[in-house]
Amino acid sequence: MQHERDNGPATAVDRGAYQDAVTPWDRPKWRAAALAWIARELAAHGLRESGPRTVRLRPWSVLVRTHATGLGTVWFKANPPASAFEAPLTEALARWTPEHVLRPIAVDADRGWSLLPDGGTLFKTALGGGPVDPRAWEEPLRQYAHMQRALTPYADEIERLGVPGARTRELPDVVDRLVTDSTALAADDRRRLRALRPRLVEWSAELAAVGIEDTLDHADLHEGQLFHPEPGRYTFFDWGDATVSHPFCSFRVPARRVLAEDRGGTGRAALLRLRDAYLEPWTGDGASSAELRRAMSLSWRLGAVGRAASWGRLFPGASRASDVVCAAQSAASLLELFDAPPALD
C-alpha cells in the first residue's frame, strides 16, 4: 500500500496484483481534475470531503473511497473508454429501477466518472465469509430477475448509452469477433471454436425462439457485486462488464460460485432451487416451465460470451502484463463454450 498526498486528505493507494499497470490516476493533471470534480459535486449538495482517502487502482477502473461530512462514505469511480457507459447507465438505472440500485450523487457521462453514496453491507460480508448457504442466493436472484424484466423495454436505450450489444441471435457473430481478435488462443483452440459455430447458431436460435426478450446482463454477478442494506432488500452495482443480451446469461456466474463451494454433495438440489427462484419472475409471459428451463440450460454456455468480451475493457496502455492476463482470461471464458451445462431442464 502506497501513500500519497495531494491538496486535501492523505491518500492510501492499492494497486493489488497490478503494480505496473498505468491508470489515469498516475497523471497529475487528471488526478487533480478528478479530485476537484469530487469536491465540486459534493459542494453542490452542501457537502465537503473529509479524509482519509483510499484509492484502488486496477487496469479496468480507478476507485476512490472517501468521506463526506454529513453523509459518510462516498465512492468515486472512473472507467476506461470501453466501459465509460457505466456512469450514464448507473444514472439511468436509478430512474428506471430505483429500488434495485444506488442513486448516484453525480455522474460525468463524457468522462465516465460517477460519484456514489455507500450502499451499506456487501452481500459478501452478509454471508459471513464461510461456506455459502445456497439458499441465501434465492432472494437476490429473484429480485435481480425482476429488475431485468423491468428493464426489457429499455434495451435499445441501454445500448444507446454505450452498453455493448450481445443480442441472443447475434452471439455467434460476437464469438467470431472475439476469436479473431484474441491474442491468447492457441491455434487448435481457435480452430475448435470456429468449428463450433454451427452449434452456436443452433443454440442461439433455439434460445431466442423461447420468446424472452434481451435486456441488461450484468455479466459478473457475484457476491461482491450487490449490497444487502436491510432485511429482504438487495441492490446491484458495478455495471462495467454489462452487455445487452439474453437475461438468463446472468445466472451462470452466481450458480457456478455456489457449485464451486458445494461441500455436502447437495449441489444439484441447491442449483435447482436457485434456478426456480430466478425463473419465477419470468413465468406468465407465454413460455411454459419446460421452455424456461430449457432456455436456462441453453444460456449456460452462451453466458460465457459476455464474460469473454468484458476482459478487453481496460485503460489504453495499462501495461503489457495486464493485456496478457486479461487476454488469457478472455480466451479461457471462450473455451467454456465447450463445457456441458449442468442438468437445468
Side-chain angles (χ1 to χ4, degrees):
M1 186 82 71
Q2 299 172 327
H3 290 81
E4 301 173 348
R5 183 177 288 278
D6 291 276
N7 293 330
T11 303
V13 179
D14 165 26
R15 296 179 182 270
Y18 300 90
Q19 295 295 313
D20 297 330
V22 178
T23 71
W25 182 263
D26 299 303
R27 302 199 301 268
K29 287 185 178 179
W30 185 96
R31 187 167 67 245
L35 295 175
W37 183 79
I38 294 171
R40 186 167 60 252
E41 296 301 333
L42 288 176
H45 290 80
L47 305 168
R48 65 178 180 82
E49 186 184 8
S50 59
R53 301 185 189 115
T54 301
V55 180
R56 183 180 181 274
L57 302 179
R58 298 295 185 267
W60 51 84
S61 68
V62 171
L63 191 64
V64 180
R65 181 183 188 270
T66 188
H67 298 267
T69 53
L71 183 61
T73 300
V74 295
W75 300 85
F76 164 84
K77 186 173 185 180
N79 291 77
S83 64
F85 61 79
E86 184 176 2
L89 176 63
T90 300
E91 187 174 47
L93 293 178
R95 295 195 307 271
W96 297 332
T97 56
E99 68 275 25
H100 296 301
V101 297
L102 297 176
R103 181 177 296 279
I105 299 167
V107 300
D108 185 323
D110 292 336
R111 291 190 283 194
W113 292 357
S114 54
L115 187 63
L116 294 160
D118 191 62
T121 302
L122 269 178
F123 184 50
K124 180 178 180 179
T125 303
L127 292 173
V132 176
D133 182 347
R135 291 172 297 182
W137 267 104
E138 292 177 21
E139 185 57 25
L141 282 175
R142 188 178 292 109
Q143 292 187 22
Y144 174 73
H146 277 293
M147 177 184 180
Q148 287 184 294
R149 192 170 180 274
L151 290 171
T152 297
Y154 301 102
D156 291 342
E157 191 166 349
I158 290 171
E159 279 197 80
R160 286 194 291 272
L161 292 174
V163 178
R167 300 286 186 145
T168 303
R169 292 188 181 275
E170 298 170 1
L171 285 169
D173 297 330
V174 177
V175 173
D176 286 345
R177 292 195 296 272
L178 291 169
V179 170
T180 298
D181 294 344
S182 175
T183 59
L185 283 169
D188 184 57
D189 289 333
R190 200 182 300 272
R191 285 192 294 270
R192 290 171 63 218
L193 284 163
R194 285 175 172 154
L196 186 66
R197 194 182 201 282
R199 298 298 307 278
L200 291 174
V201 172
E202 292 174 5
W203 294 333
S204 298
E206 185 181 354
L207 182 57
V210 174
I212 301 296
E213 295 182 56
D214 292 330
T215 185
L216 186 64
D217 169 21
H218 186 286
D220 194 23
L221 187 63
H222 60 73
E223 62 274 13
Q225 308 283 43
L226 61 153
F227 295 110
H228 186 23
E230 58 190 54
R233 181 166 173 260
Y234 300 88
T235 54
F236 305 92
F237 71 102
D238 201 351
W239 298 95
D241 292 337
T243 63
V244 175
S245 191
H246 196 283
F248 293 7
C249 289
S250 290
F251 184 74
R252 175 188 176 90
V253 170
R256 279 166 59 100
R257 304 280 259 218
V258 168
L259 286 174
E261 295 196 14
D262 178 32
R263 300 292 185 270
T266 60
R268 171 161 170 73
L271 187 63
L272 296 183
R273 287 176 61 95
L274 295 184
R275 176 203 66 187
D276 291 344
Y278 177 79
L279 289 179
E280 180 184 313
W282 302 100
T283 61
D285 286 342
S288 68
S289 295
E291 287 174 323
L292 290 174
R293 292 194 294 269
R294 175 58 178 162
M296 179 69 80
S297 183
L298 289 164
S299 69
W300 184 274
R301 291 183 196 256
L302 297 172
V305 179
R307 293 296 305 129
S310 69
W311 283 104
R313 301 172 193 174
L314 308 180
F315 288 114
S319 76
R320 173 62 180 161
S322 300
D323 289 342
V324 169
V325 169
C326 293
Q329 292 283 1
S330 178
S333 294
L334 284 172
L335 294 178
E336 289 174 1
L337 287 166
F338 294 106
D339 295 346
L344 291 166
D345 55 353

